[in-house]
Amino acid sequence: MTKSNIDTSTKTNWYCDNIRLTHSISNYQEFGSFSTSNDSDFVRLHFGLKGNYEFSYKQLDRKFDLIGGHHNIMYSNGFDIEVKNKTLEIETFGIQFPRELFVDLTQNASDQIKRFSENILLGKSDLLSQNWGAIDFSIEQVIKQIINCSYSAELKKMFLLSKSIELLVLSAESYSYCENKREVFVKNKSDKEKIIAARDLINENLNCPPNLNQIAKTIGLNEYKLKRGFKEVFSNTVFGYLTDQRLHLAMQYLKDTQKTSSEIAYILGYATPQHFSNAFKKKFGFTPKSISNNP
């Protein structure tokens, strides 16, 4: 691998039953390119979490121009790509399934997956979907759960295996939807970049979220196109996405810290602890105070 323009790179690997999961963050000194290759025979779930880049995939004889928030499933016996970074930070997540295991797991899946698996059995390089899927809230949450996993030993292996299969299911479902939908409001790469920028802006300001007008002005779209485009890309409204993110962050605080529900309500910018408690119960079916870490 050539990494001449990478300043820092952080990579974490997890393994379970010959499945490898990888989370990678690369920070670049400048815009440039690098190559990577290996001779492994795996099916790869690829998730671009942050950053824009192009990459050429020799075995598929394809070139892709991608922006943060995308995913697909790829297969080739051997792996040779050249990546050109278009932002100074790129974050990705990936899962590698052994070929036989992937085929076994998907034997009763959709026709699209079955066709993909047939090519895998023939040893033919293939891409599951010609349209890269958007990383929706469900996929995003599972990836976060894996990255923040606190289990150890055998429990961790069971957790990683279950989450790997869950991501496979969520991805397959997303591709089926992607193949059939018509994009009406997000027709070009520039608009999609702006919609993803809106999502990132929300995630960076969960404790004091901007309103719809502020988001629209910041990313350079009118409110109507922001609302419709966000719904189209992420299958959720702007407000719905914000609410889900805040409440899942609250759940993480409740499980991993000694913060009280009142403190969390304040941190996340809720008007009152009761407002937070009502929203939490509506989402999860129980109150934040029912979690034992928080009196």
Side-chain angles (χ1 to χ4, degrees):
M1 178 187 294
T2 303
K3 293 187 177 180
S4 58
N5 70 327
I6 299 181
D7 186 26
T8 61
S9 180
T10 303
K11 180 177 287 189
T12 304
N13 290 304
W14 301 267
Y15 297 88
C16 63
D17 293 349
N18 296 319
I19 299 170
R20 187 177 84 173
L21 303 88
T22 302
H23 176 228
S24 178
I25 301 175
S26 298
N27 293 285
Y28 298 83
Q29 301 173 13
E30 58 189 4
F31 301 116
S33 62
F34 66 92
S35 299
T36 183
S37 63
N38 63 56
D39 58 1
S40 58
D41 189 11
F42 284 101
V43 181
R44 300 169 176 87
L45 275 67
H46 177 81
F47 302 89
L49 303 179
K50 184 177 182 181
N52 302 353
Y53 53 94
E54 296 177 3
F55 77 89
S56 300
Y57 195 148
K58 179 181 177 181
Q59 283 78 5
L60 289 175
D61 193 25
R62 294 284 302 277
K63 184 175 183 179
F64 305 99
D65 187 359
L66 302 169
I67 57 179
H70 59 267
H71 64 101
N72 214 327
I73 304 180
M74 303 170 282
Y75 168 72
S76 63
N77 187 353
F79 184 72
D80 297 276
I81 66 169
E82 181 175 353
V83 180
K84 179 180 179 182
N85 67 301
K86 300 171 73 174
T87 53
L88 295 180
E89 181 174 292
I90 294 175
E91 181 180 6
T92 61
F93 184 85
I95 304 177
Q96 291 189 352
F97 285 94
R99 183 173 67 166
E100 294 79 8
L101 177 58
F102 180 88
V103 171
D104 184 56
L105 288 170
T106 59
Q107 59 183 327
N108 296 315
S110 66
D111 290 341
Q112 184 185 18
I113 294 282
K114 287 178 181 178
R115 288 193 296 269
F116 181 63
S117 294
E118 287 171 2
N119 284 334
I120 292 172
L121 287 172
L122 294 171
K124 180 181 177 181
S125 300
D126 200 6
L127 186 72
L128 177 63
S129 175
Q130 300 308 307
N131 299 312
W132 288 70
I135 294 180
D136 61 20
F137 179 79
S138 298
I139 291 175
E140 184 180 7
Q141 286 303 308
V142 176
I143 292 174
K144 285 182 178 179
Q145 289 166 9
I146 293 171
I147 293 172
N148 297 314
C149 173
S150 59
Y151 294 116
S152 59
E154 290 302 312
L155 279 178
K156 186 169 188 176
K157 285 181 62 177
M158 291 171 59
F159 176 83
L160 293 175
L161 178 59
S162 68
K163 291 301 173 181
S164 297
I165 295 173
E166 185 176 357
L167 273 179
L168 175 57
V169 171
L170 290 172
S171 298
E173 182 182 47
S174 172
Y175 302 130
S176 296
Y177 171 75
C178 187
E179 288 291 315
N180 295 318
K181 80 172 183 178
R182 291 174 56 232
E183 292 189 339
V184 178
F185 293 94
V186 186
K187 295 182 178 179
N188 57 61
K189 188 170 184 285
S190 175
D191 283 350
K192 189 169 184 180
E193 286 178 333
K194 291 174 181 178
I195 295 298
I196 290 174
R199 180 202 62 183
D200 293 343
L201 185 63
I202 292 169
N203 288 337
E204 291 164 4
N205 297 276
L206 292 177
N207 61 333
C208 186
N211 61 37
L212 203 63
N213 179 261
Q214 291 170 325
I215 296 172
K217 286 183 177 179
T218 301
I219 66 171
L221 287 178
N222 62 56
E223 288 188 34
Y224 178 75
K225 196 163 189 177
L226 166 61
K227 289 190 292 185
R228 297 300 298 269
F230 198 96
K231 176 73 172 178
E232 184 175 275
V233 172
F234 296 111
S235 302
N236 200 352
T237 64
V238 174
F239 180 74
Y241 180 86
L242 168 62
T243 299
D244 283 344
Q245 290 289 66
R246 293 171 88 188
L247 291 175
H248 276 85
L249 180 57
M251 177 68 83
Q252 185 177 330
Y253 281 144
L254 289 166
K255 289 181 175 180
D256 299 339
T257 75
Q258 294 298 318
K259 291 182 181 4
T260 66
S261 58
S262 295
E263 289 171 332
I264 293 170
Y266 176 77
I267 290 170
L268 294 180
Y270 280 88
T272 65
Q274 189 60 48
H275 182 203
F276 164 62
S277 182
N278 291 342
F280 192 93
K281 185 174 182 180
K282 183 178 179 181
K283 175 69 178 176
F284 298 112
F286 49 87
T287 66
K289 287 187 177 181
S290 67
I291 297 179
S292 59
N293 282 0
N294 298 269

